Amino acid sequence: MSNLPEQVDQSVHTRKLFRRGQKILIAVSGGVDSMVLLHLLHELSQKNKWRLTVAHLNHQLRGSSSDADERLVARTAKKLGLPIVTGRADVKKIARTGHLSLEMAARKARHEFLAQTAAHLKISHIALAHHADDQVELFFLRLLRGSGSEGLAGMKWRSPSPANPAIQLIRPLLEQSKASLQACAAAKKIPFREDASNEWLDIQRNLIRRELLPLLRRKYQPALERTILRLMDILKAESEYIHDAAENWQRSGTGVSPARFKFGKIPFPKLPLALQRRCIQSQLLQRGIPTDFALVERLRTSPGKSFTVVPQLAVSCSANGQLHFQSSPIVESKTDEVKIDLARRAGQVLFAGRKISWAIKPRRAVNRPRPHPRKEFFDADKIGPNIVLRHWRPGDRFQPIGMKHPVKLQDFFVNQKIPRARRHDLIVAATAQNEVFWVEDVRISEQFKLTSATALRLTWQWK
């Protein structure tokens, strides 16, 4: 702990995170991480001539506890002689009106508050307290959501604010462990408040922190953090190379010679698979369209076919890898449905352009069937004899496998970053009691998975 200020100072200068004498806005929640960041930057500001301002947003989620957080941050800023800007956000209302989860609504409100405060004060850099443990948690969170190498590479030391790209988010503590920050707080007697939301085990990140990571450390890899951070560094370098190669290939079509890469004159279908995917992904992102693996693959493998990606906008991929965007009608929620009688132990049906087949057989094997693309397995007795195929409807609830409680399907779509228009295109299957047990290409329900007590297995396939 004793050399923590020196380590942070070295990270700042080695990576050129802040300039000497510049203004910095510090996001401080009142938790141990941000309070330590505040004290460290205040200590280092004396020799670096930084001009610091504290920013705190009261999310109003925990009543008097949230107010106590705000008072602590204000007292600390006054004690350190630093100006402070505070704000308040009705996160529950933002979540309700914006059809967002509380986590997504809080993140949105926080970034908007910080960006607006920084712009008003003419500050170009915001310091955030993310640390090495956050990186490891984020790795597993994105791994379970099926992210690619770019997502698995984790947070960057410097990145543009999602609320204002002209403002930079800086993370000076990314190399520091949570334990080192806690030790610093104890040694320097830095006051902080525990966030009760860290104990909400129905939040996936907290499940990873409290259950998955301790299990992996205990049973598989005691040096888990070091191993994962090294892997993330490797993925970051490889992802940046693929990104640069994709951009160079695209620019080669306009006469720009790709100096570092050999892909300039190779036709799109002959490019390495990773480059094909990144070329499509980057073109979508340039238009501000959220991407996922399924959308990229549909475009890559179906040249000339048009897909609606956001309301009033469709996209197709030509044989040469160029995306073409055209207006399309607003996609509205579909209400058509098909009822299936599972009393017939096998069959198939066409619905919404997909062929879905099923078969029910006694489950003799004890082991879980090996995973296959576009094939799932369910406990047939739990599902019952009658099911309905339809599209998502507002109010649908769903308990994704691995989670302890049901969530709104709309919140699940938001957390999985599934574009709004595609949510209406995905097929869901529900029981006669209207319990959703399958969402196309996304997840199955925890309530209907195979267990050791399963007698009849439903095999479910689609294409």
Side-chain angles (χ1 to χ4, degrees):
M1 186 287 302
S2 60
N3 62 349
L4 183 59
E6 291 83 357
Q7 292 175 8
V8 173
D9 193 39
Q10 183 178 4
S11 294
V12 168
H13 287 92
T14 300
R15 301 177 184 277
K16 300 180 180 179
L17 301 179
F18 300 125
R19 301 185 309 276
R20 181 178 176 83
Q22 82 169 94
K23 295 195 292 184
I24 303 171
L25 185 68
I26 310 175
V28 184
S29 68
V32 62
D33 307 336
S34 62
M35 292 296 283
V36 170
L37 173 67
L38 171 59
H39 282 78
L40 288 174
L41 292 185
H42 178 258
E43 179 179 339
L44 295 171
S45 67
Q46 298 177 24
K47 74 170 186 177
N48 291 290
K49 306 299 181 184
W50 295 328
R51 292 168 288 166
L52 308 179
T53 300
V54 178
H56 173 84
L57 179 66
N58 187 330
H59 295 85
Q60 304 183 83
L61 286 173
R62 296 180 290 117
S64 60
S65 293
S66 294
D67 296 337
D69 295 345
E70 182 178 343
R71 289 194 297 271
L72 172 63
V73 175
R75 283 198 308 269
T76 304
K78 182 178 180 180
K79 181 179 178 181
L80 297 176
L82 299 176
I84 180 173
V85 179
T86 61
R88 293 193 163 217
D90 188 343
V91 171
K92 291 182 179 178
K93 181 178 180 181
I94 295 172
R96 185 171 58 253
T97 57
H99 306 291
L100 301 171
S101 66
L102 280 178
E103 292 168 275
M104 294 293 290
R107 182 179 183 273
K108 179 177 184 292
R110 187 164 56 249
H111 278 301
E112 289 179 352
F113 164 73
L114 292 172
Q116 290 169 4
T117 301
H120 177 72
L121 298 175
K122 295 182 172 55
I123 298 176
S124 60
H125 289 63
I126 301 173
L128 304 178
H130 297 117
H131 48 76
D133 292 45
D134 291 327
Q135 284 281 60
V136 175
E137 292 168 14
L138 183 62
F139 174 86
F140 284 99
L141 189 67
R142 289 179 172 175
L143 178 69
L144 295 174
R145 290 176 178 175
S147 295
S149 60
E150 189 172 22
L152 295 178
M155 293 176 285
K156 298 179 180 179
W157 289 84
R158 174 196 302 270
S159 62
S161 165
N164 184 347
I167 294 172
Q168 292 291 304
L169 303 180
I170 308 298
R171 301 176 177 89
L173 304 180
L174 275 187
E175 285 182 339
Q176 308 304 323
S177 68
K178 178 82 169 185
S180 69
L181 301 183
Q182 291 171 329
C184 178
K188 293 179 177 290
K189 294 182 172 53
I190 298 174
F192 62 89
R193 286 179 53 79
E194 292 287 355
D195 186 345
S197 67
N198 290 335
E199 305 301 323
W200 297 347
L201 293 185
D202 57 338
I203 298 177
Q204 192 174 24
R205 179 185 283 272
N206 292 327
L207 282 170
I208 290 171
R209 178 188 306 133
R210 301 284 183 174
E211 298 182 3
L212 177 61
L213 297 185
L215 173 66
L216 293 175
R217 292 189 198 101
R218 186 173 66 253
K219 294 282 190 179
Y220 301 98
Q221 175 53 275
L224 183 68
E225 281 74 13
R226 185 171 69 247
T227 302
I228 295 301
L229 290 173
R230 184 174 60 210
L231 173 60
M232 294 177 81
D233 195 48
I234 293 171
L235 289 172
K236 179 176 181 292
E238 293 178 353
S239 178
E240 288 176 349
Y241 175 85
I242 294 173
H243 174 79
D244 290 347
E247 286 201 341
N248 272 276
W249 181 85
Q250 291 173 358
R251 285 199 298 267
S252 69
T254 61
V256 180
S257 176
R260 295 172 54 205
F261 307 98
K262 304 295 185 181
F263 305 113
K265 297 182 180 180
I266 298 178
F268 180 77
K270 301 282 187 184
L271 285 176
L273 180 57
L275 273 186
Q276 292 183 27
R277 289 170 174 163
R278 186 58 65 90
C279 288
I280 293 174
Q281 181 192 47
S282 63
Q283 292 177 76
L284 291 169
L285 292 175
Q286 287 168 13
R287 291 292 296 261
I289 297 170
T291 67
D292 59 34
F293 180 80
L295 175 59
V296 171
E297 284 301 277
R298 286 180 180 179
L299 290 167
R300 187 182 68 83
T301 59
S302 305
K305 186 174 181 180
S306 181
F307 299 93
T308 299
V309 287
V310 295
Q312 294 183 291
L313 184 66
V315 60
S316 61
C317 182
S318 65
N320 65 1
Q322 299 301 312
L323 298 191
H324 301 281
F325 299 88
Q326 56 273 341
S327 60
S328 66
I330 296 177
V331 178
E332 298 180 355
S333 179
K334 302 176 176 64
T335 57
D336 53 314
E337 62 180 39
V338 168
K339 294 181 179 180
I340 296 177
D341 181 4
L342 294 183
R344 295 184 298 134
R345 291 304 177 95
Q348 63 182 31
V349 64
L350 290 174
F351 179 70
R354 286 74 139 183
K355 183 170 75 172
I356 298 173
S357 58
W358 71 92
I360 297 177
K361 294 181 180 179
R363 187 190 183 201
R364 297 185 178 90
V366 176
N367 295 331
R368 182 178 179 83
R370 296 176 63 182
H372 296 275
R374 300 201 170 185
K375 179 188 286 189
E376 296 287 2
F377 304 91
F378 301 94
D379 188 314
D381 290 319
K382 291 180 180 178
I383 288 176
N386 298 300
I387 65 174
V388 175
L389 291 181
R390 57 177 175 80
H391 295 279
W392 163 71
R393 296 171 185 169
D396 276 345
R397 296 185 70 82
F398 177 58
Q399 184 176 348
I401 189 167
M403 295 186 67
K404 293 183 178 180
H405 305 288
V407 296
K408 285 186 177 180
L409 191 50
Q410 177 165 300
D411 289 346
F412 182 73
F413 284 151
V414 171
N415 288 330
Q416 296 295 307
K417 298 182 179 179
I418 296 176
R420 185 181 299 273
R422 291 198 60 230
R423 303 172 199 171
H424 296 289
D425 183 56
L426 293 175
I427 300 174
V428 302
T431 68
Q433 291 72 40
N434 203 32
E435 297 172 301
V436 175
F437 65 87
W438 170 73
V439 181
E440 178 191 8
D441 290 338
V442 179
R443 200 80 66 85
I444 70 171
S445 170
E446 172 74 21
Q447 297 167 291
F448 301 94
K449 68 180 183 181
L450 299 179
T451 68
S452 59
T454 298
L456 290 176
R457 184 179 76 187
L458 169 63
T459 302
W460 186 264
Q461 291 181 273
W462 68 99
K463 63 179 180 179

